[in-house]
Amino acid sequence: MTRRLNPITTPRFEARAEKARRNKGEPGSATGSRNRANALAAFIGKKAEIDEMLARLQALSDDHFNCAPDEAGWAMVGTLEHYASLLKRITDSAFGEGEHAR
């Protein structure tokens, strides 16, 4: 009978666990500080990316989504419905609503 190793105690698991401990870093350690600084820089970069997208969407909305009053039709309503459904997925996730309700 072949004995199966417990994956929790394998050397590979131990190596991964040690790497995770190092990457997490202890408060005040050089590694932990560097990881937090890298995470903060990445966070600020992603936030700026989102802010830019939101500003562009707001400008497009202010311009009625480039739709002149005589061009408004069901096709444009469908387009806006699609945009709204995508944004609803984001807001539901961000605010814990809809399918993301806690």
Side-chain angles (χ1 to χ4, degrees):
M1 178 173 174
T2 305
R3 181 173 178 225
R4 297 186 68 168
L5 294 174
N6 181 344
I8 295 175
T9 59
T10 63
R12 184 175 177 190
F13 175 84
E14 288 300 324
R16 284 184 173 177
E18 177 57 30
K19 183 177 180 183
R21 283 190 292 271
R22 281 195 320 265
N23 286 339
K24 183 177 181 184
E26 294 299 318
S29 73
T31 302
S33 296
R34 184 175 59 244
N35 285 338
R36 282 188 298 282
N38 291 343
L40 178 59
F43 176 87
I44 290 170
K46 286 299 172 188
K47 183 187 176 310
E49 191 178 328
I50 290 169
D51 289 345
E52 183 175 333
M53 286 187 273
L54 290 172
R56 292 180 66 207
L57 281 171
Q58 185 61 59
L60 187 62
S61 178
D62 291 346
D63 195 30
H64 303 283
F65 294 91
N66 296 324
C67 181
D70 60 338
E71 294 175 352
W74 289 111
M76 194 59 191
V77 172
T79 298
L80 292 182
E81 185 175 7
H82 177 68
Y83 294 167
S85 71
L86 294 173
L87 288 169
K88 181 161 179 24
R89 289 176 59 194
I90 293 168
T91 57
D92 281 356
S93 177
F95 297 108
E97 299 169 343
E99 69 180 62
H100 299 278
R102 295 173 182 105

